[in-house]
Amino acid sequence: MLHRKRFGQHFLQDKNVIQNIVNAIAPQKNDVLVEIGPGRGALTLPLLQHVKTLHAIELDRDLIPILEKQCEGKGNLIVHQADALEFDLAELIENKKMLRVCGNLPYNISTPLIFHLLDYAKNISDMCFMLQKEVVDRLAAKPDTEHYGRLSVMTQYHCKITALFDVSPTAFFPQPNVISSIVRFVPYQPLPFVAKDYKLFETIVREAFNHRRKTIRNSLKKIIRDETWAQVNIDPLLRPETLSVEEFVKLSNGSDA
Ligand code: SAM
Protein backbone atom coordinates (compact mmCIF):
# COMPACT_ATOMS: atom_id res chain seq x y z
CA MET A 1 0.00 0.00 0.00
CA LEU A 2 1.36 3.40 -1.01
CA HIS A 3 2.04 5.70 1.95
CA ARG A 4 3.82 9.01 2.32
CA LYS A 5 6.10 9.49 5.26
CA ARG A 6 6.16 13.27 4.93
CA PHE A 7 2.38 13.33 5.47
CA GLY A 8 2.70 11.18 8.61
CA GLN A 9 0.66 8.41 6.99
CA HIS A 10 -0.02 5.41 9.23
CA PHE A 11 -3.32 3.84 8.27
CA LEU A 12 -5.51 2.11 10.84
CA GLN A 13 -6.12 -1.57 10.06
CA ASP A 14 -7.39 -3.11 13.27
CA LYS A 15 -11.20 -3.35 13.24
CA ASN A 16 -11.53 -3.50 17.05
CA VAL A 17 -9.34 -0.47 17.54
CA ILE A 18 -11.31 1.42 14.87
CA GLN A 19 -14.57 0.54 16.65
CA ASN A 20 -13.17 1.66 20.01
CA ILE A 21 -12.13 4.99 18.52
CA VAL A 22 -15.54 5.50 16.91
CA ASN A 23 -17.14 4.70 20.29
CA ALA A 24 -14.89 7.28 21.94
CA ILE A 25 -15.87 9.89 19.34
CA ALA A 26 -19.53 8.90 19.94
CA PRO A 27 -20.90 10.54 16.77
CA GLN A 28 -24.55 11.69 16.89
CA LYS A 29 -26.84 12.18 13.93
CA ASN A 30 -27.02 15.99 14.02
CA ASP A 31 -23.36 16.64 14.84
CA VAL A 32 -21.31 18.84 12.58
CA LEU A 33 -18.40 16.45 12.63
CA VAL A 34 -14.99 17.30 11.15
CA GLU A 35 -12.35 14.64 10.57
CA ILE A 36 -8.76 15.71 10.09
CA GLY A 37 -6.58 13.48 7.90
CA PRO A 38 -9.16 10.89 6.75
CA GLY A 39 -6.57 9.07 4.64
CA ARG A 40 -8.18 6.02 3.06
CA GLY A 41 -11.25 6.27 5.24
CA ALA A 42 -10.60 3.80 8.09
CA LEU A 43 -12.51 6.07 10.49
CA THR A 44 -14.44 8.06 7.89
CA LEU A 45 -16.54 5.14 6.72
CA PRO A 46 -17.85 4.03 10.14
CA LEU A 47 -18.32 7.69 11.19
CA LEU A 48 -20.40 8.41 8.08
CA GLN A 49 -22.92 5.81 9.16
CA HIS A 50 -23.75 7.84 12.27
CA VAL A 51 -23.91 11.45 11.09
CA LYS A 52 -25.86 13.30 8.41
CA THR A 53 -22.80 15.23 7.23
CA LEU A 54 -19.12 14.65 7.72
CA HIS A 55 -16.45 17.16 6.72
CA ALA A 56 -13.02 15.67 6.04
CA ILE A 57 -9.85 17.74 5.63
CA GLU A 58 -7.09 15.89 3.74
CA LEU A 59 -3.82 17.31 2.40
CA ASP A 60 -2.75 14.45 0.12
CA ARG A 61 -4.66 14.98 -3.12
CA ASP A 62 -3.77 11.48 -4.36
CA LEU A 63 -5.71 9.90 -1.50
CA ILE A 64 -8.92 11.80 -2.13
CA PRO A 65 -10.22 9.70 -5.07
CA ILE A 66 -9.54 6.53 -3.02
CA LEU A 67 -11.39 8.01 -0.04
CA GLU A 68 -14.33 9.16 -2.15
CA LYS A 69 -14.64 5.78 -3.84
CA GLN A 70 -14.54 4.02 -0.49
CA CYS A 71 -17.33 6.25 0.89
CA GLU A 72 -19.46 6.45 -2.26
CA GLY A 73 -23.15 5.98 -1.50
CA LYS A 74 -22.42 5.56 2.23
CA GLY A 75 -23.40 9.05 3.37
CA ASN A 76 -22.83 12.74 2.92
CA LEU A 77 -19.05 13.22 2.92
CA ILE A 78 -17.68 16.68 2.11
CA VAL A 79 -13.97 16.49 1.37
CA HIS A 80 -11.81 19.60 1.68
CA GLN A 81 -8.45 19.19 0.00
CA ALA A 82 -6.44 21.47 2.28
CA ASP A 83 -3.71 21.79 4.87
CA ALA A 84 -5.47 21.48 8.22
CA LEU A 85 -2.85 23.83 9.71
CA GLU A 86 -4.24 26.62 7.55
CA PHE A 87 -7.85 25.59 7.22
CA ASP A 88 -10.41 28.13 8.47
CA LEU A 89 -12.80 26.02 10.56
CA ALA A 90 -15.21 28.95 10.75
CA GLU A 91 -16.19 28.04 7.16
CA LEU A 92 -17.88 24.90 8.49
CA ILE A 93 -20.10 26.57 11.07
CA GLU A 94 -23.76 26.52 10.06
CA ASN A 95 -26.50 28.16 12.11
CA LYS A 96 -23.99 28.78 14.93
CA LYS A 97 -23.82 25.04 15.63
CA MET A 98 -20.78 23.89 17.59
CA LEU A 99 -18.27 21.72 15.75
CA ARG A 100 -16.99 18.34 16.86
CA VAL A 101 -13.49 17.52 15.61
CA CYS A 102 -11.74 14.17 15.40
CA GLY A 103 -8.97 12.29 13.64
CA ASN A 104 -5.95 10.07 13.66
CA LEU A 105 -3.59 13.00 13.32
CA PRO A 106 -0.32 13.15 11.43
CA TYR A 107 2.08 13.06 14.38
CA ASN A 108 4.67 15.32 12.76
CA ILE A 109 2.34 18.33 12.95
CA SER A 110 0.19 17.43 15.96
CA THR A 111 1.29 20.21 18.32
CA PRO A 112 0.93 23.16 15.88
CA LEU A 113 -2.33 21.63 14.67
CA ILE A 114 -3.76 21.51 18.21
CA PHE A 115 -2.85 25.18 18.69
CA HIS A 116 -4.42 26.07 15.36
CA LEU A 117 -7.64 24.27 16.39
CA LEU A 118 -7.63 25.96 19.80
CA ASP A 119 -8.04 29.29 17.99
CA TYR A 120 -11.57 28.04 17.27
CA ALA A 121 -12.24 26.70 20.80
CA LYS A 122 -15.33 28.90 21.21
CA ASN A 123 -16.93 27.07 18.29
CA ILE A 124 -15.89 23.53 19.25
CA SER A 125 -17.81 21.34 21.66
CA ASP A 126 -15.14 18.61 21.77
CA MET A 127 -12.19 17.05 19.95
CA CYS A 128 -11.11 13.43 20.02
CA PHE A 129 -7.73 12.55 18.53
CA MET A 130 -5.19 9.81 18.19
CA LEU A 131 -1.71 11.11 18.91
CA GLN A 132 1.65 9.82 20.05
CA LYS A 133 1.26 8.59 23.63
CA GLU A 134 4.20 10.72 24.67
CA VAL A 135 2.31 13.85 23.52
CA VAL A 136 -0.94 12.73 25.17
CA ASP A 137 0.95 12.21 28.45
CA ARG A 138 2.13 15.81 28.28
CA LEU A 139 -1.26 17.19 27.25
CA ALA A 140 -3.14 15.52 30.11
CA ALA A 141 -0.46 15.84 32.82
CA LYS A 142 -1.33 17.27 36.23
CA PRO A 143 0.99 19.70 38.10
CA ASP A 144 3.93 18.21 39.93
CA THR A 145 4.15 15.14 37.70
CA GLU A 146 6.88 14.10 35.28
CA HIS A 147 5.18 15.11 32.02
CA TYR A 148 3.68 18.41 33.17
CA GLY A 149 5.07 21.35 31.22
CA ARG A 150 4.37 24.17 28.81
CA LEU A 151 2.15 22.05 26.53
CA SER A 152 0.01 20.95 29.51
CA VAL A 153 -0.47 24.50 30.79
CA MET A 154 -1.16 26.11 27.40
CA THR A 155 -3.71 23.50 26.33
CA GLN A 156 -5.34 23.02 29.75
CA TYR A 157 -5.90 26.79 29.85
CA HIS A 158 -8.46 26.23 27.07
CA CYS A 159 -9.74 22.67 27.61
CA LYS A 160 -10.40 19.84 29.97
CA ILE A 161 -8.14 17.10 28.62
CA THR A 162 -8.58 13.39 29.24
CA ALA A 163 -6.33 10.56 28.05
CA LEU A 164 -8.63 7.66 27.10
CA PHE A 165 -6.67 4.56 25.98
CA ASP A 166 -3.47 3.46 24.26
CA VAL A 167 -3.16 1.90 20.81
CA SER A 168 -0.34 -0.44 19.86
CA PRO A 169 1.74 0.09 16.68
CA THR A 170 0.38 -3.22 15.35
CA ALA A 171 -3.00 -1.55 14.72
CA PHE A 172 -1.50 0.42 11.79
CA PHE A 173 0.11 -0.03 8.42
CA PRO A 174 2.88 0.94 8.22
CA GLN A 175 3.53 0.53 11.93
CA PRO A 176 4.73 3.67 13.72
CA ASN A 177 7.75 3.42 16.04
CA VAL A 178 5.76 4.71 18.97
CA ILE A 179 2.72 3.84 21.05
CA SER A 180 -0.34 5.98 20.31
CA SER A 181 -3.14 7.20 22.58
CA ILE A 182 -6.63 8.54 22.23
CA VAL A 183 -7.27 11.87 23.91
CA ARG A 184 -10.36 14.00 24.41
CA PHE A 185 -10.38 17.81 24.62
CA VAL A 186 -13.46 19.63 25.88
CA PRO A 187 -13.02 23.40 25.52
CA TYR A 188 -14.18 25.38 28.56
CA GLN A 189 -17.15 27.60 27.78
CA PRO A 190 -16.44 29.98 29.47
CA LEU A 191 -12.80 29.74 30.57
CA PRO A 192 -12.42 29.16 34.33
CA PHE A 193 -9.36 31.45 34.58
CA VAL A 194 -8.90 34.29 32.11
CA ALA A 195 -5.53 35.86 31.36
CA LYS A 196 -6.07 39.61 30.93
CA ASP A 197 -3.08 39.69 28.59
CA TYR A 198 -2.82 36.34 26.80
CA LYS A 199 0.53 37.18 25.16
CA LEU A 200 2.04 37.92 28.57
CA PHE A 201 0.62 34.67 29.96
CA GLU A 202 2.22 32.78 27.03
CA THR A 203 5.56 34.50 27.64
CA ILE A 204 5.51 33.72 31.36
CA VAL A 205 4.71 30.04 30.77
CA ARG A 206 7.39 29.73 28.08
CA GLU A 207 10.09 31.45 30.14
CA ALA A 208 9.22 29.51 33.29
CA PHE A 209 9.55 26.13 31.55
CA ASN A 210 12.64 27.13 29.55
CA HIS A 211 14.55 26.46 32.74
CA ARG A 212 12.74 23.66 34.54
CA ARG A 213 15.42 23.38 37.19
CA LYS A 214 15.50 27.03 38.11
CA THR A 215 13.16 28.64 40.60
CA ILE A 216 10.39 30.67 39.00
CA ARG A 217 11.83 33.82 40.52
CA ASN A 218 15.09 33.31 38.64
CA SER A 219 13.49 32.32 35.37
CA LEU A 220 11.01 35.19 35.45
CA LYS A 221 13.12 37.95 36.97
CA LYS A 222 12.98 40.04 33.81
CA ILE A 223 9.17 39.84 33.74
CA ILE A 224 7.92 39.62 37.35
CA ARG A 225 8.82 42.30 39.90
CA ASP A 226 9.91 41.15 43.37
CA GLU A 227 6.84 42.62 45.06
CA THR A 228 4.42 40.82 42.73
CA TRP A 229 5.11 37.39 44.29
CA ALA A 230 3.62 38.41 47.64
CA GLN A 231 0.72 40.19 45.96
CA VAL A 232 -0.30 37.06 44.06
CA ASN A 233 0.56 34.83 46.99
CA ILE A 234 2.85 32.46 45.06
CA ASP A 235 6.15 31.25 46.51
CA PRO A 236 8.91 32.51 44.15
CA LEU A 237 11.20 29.65 45.17
CA LEU A 238 8.97 27.04 43.54
CA ARG A 239 9.88 25.27 40.29
CA PRO A 240 7.56 25.82 37.32
CA GLU A 241 6.13 22.29 37.27
CA THR A 242 4.45 22.81 40.64
CA LEU A 243 2.28 25.73 39.43
CA SER A 244 -1.29 25.08 38.29
CA VAL A 245 -2.87 26.78 35.28
CA GLU A 246 -4.78 28.97 37.73
CA GLU A 247 -1.52 30.11 39.36
CA PHE A 248 0.14 30.92 36.03
CA VAL A 249 -2.93 32.99 35.13
CA LYS A 250 -2.86 34.71 38.53
CA LEU A 251 0.82 35.51 38.06
CA SER A 252 0.28 37.02 34.63
CA ASN A 253 -2.75 39.01 35.80
CA GLY A 254 -0.90 40.24 38.89
CA SER A 255 2.08 41.44 36.94
CA ASP A 256 1.89 44.78 35.16
CA ALA A 257 5.01 44.19 33.12
N1 SAM B 1 -7.42 8.55 9.24
C1 SAM B 1 -6.58 7.63 8.51
C2 SAM B 1 -6.45 6.34 9.29
O1 SAM B 1 -6.67 6.38 10.51
O2 SAM B 1 -6.12 5.32 8.71
C3 SAM B 1 -5.20 8.22 8.20
C4 SAM B 1 -4.40 8.72 9.39
S1 SAM B 1 -2.74 9.19 9.01
C5 SAM B 1 -1.98 9.02 10.60
C6 SAM B 1 -2.79 10.95 8.88
C7 SAM B 1 -3.55 11.53 7.67
O3 SAM B 1 -3.44 12.97 7.70
C8 SAM B 1 -3.02 11.10 6.31
O4 SAM B 1 -4.09 10.78 5.48
C9 SAM B 1 -2.28 12.35 5.78
O5 SAM B 1 -2.25 12.43 4.37
C10 SAM B 1 -3.11 13.45 6.39
N2 SAM B 1 -2.39 14.72 6.56
C11 SAM B 1 -1.07 14.91 6.78
N3 SAM B 1 -0.78 16.20 6.94
C12 SAM B 1 -1.97 16.86 6.83
C13 SAM B 1 -2.35 18.24 6.90
N4 SAM B 1 -1.43 19.19 7.12
N5 SAM B 1 -3.64 18.57 6.72
C14 SAM B 1 -4.59 17.60 6.50
N6 SAM B 1 -4.29 16.29 6.43
C15 SAM B 1 -3.00 15.92 6.59
Side-chain angles (χ1 to χ4, degrees), residues 43 76 101:
L43 294 171
N76 184 21
V101 186

Side-chain angles (χ1 to χ4, degrees), residues 115-129:
F115 282 106
H116 174 70
L117 296 169
L118 288 176
D119 286 344
Y120 300 90
K122 280 202 184 100
N123 303 106
I124 294 176
S125 59
D126 68 334
M127 310 196 274
C128 189
F129 294 130

Side-chain angles (χ1 to χ4, degrees), residues 12 21 24 34 69 84 100 124 141 146 152 158 182 214 232:
L12 273 166
I21 298 173
V34 183
K69 187 151 191 280
R100 301 192 66 208
I124 294 176
E146 187 188 350
S152 332
H158 301 276
I182 305 293
K214 283 194 190 174
V232 294

Side-chain angles (χ1 to χ4, degrees), residues 132-164:
Q132 261 173 268
K133 177 176 165 50
E134 182 253 317
V135 175
V136 171
D137 286 345
R138 291 197 280 134
L139 287 164
K142 299 274 174 273
D144 227 352
T145 62
E146 187 188 350
H147 301 292
Y148 187 72
R150 182 176 162 212
L151 185 65
S152 332
V153 176
M154 294 312 299
T155 53
Q156 291 175 30
Y157 174 85
H158 301 276
C159 303
K160 179 174 165 45
I161 301 181
T162 317
L164 299 180

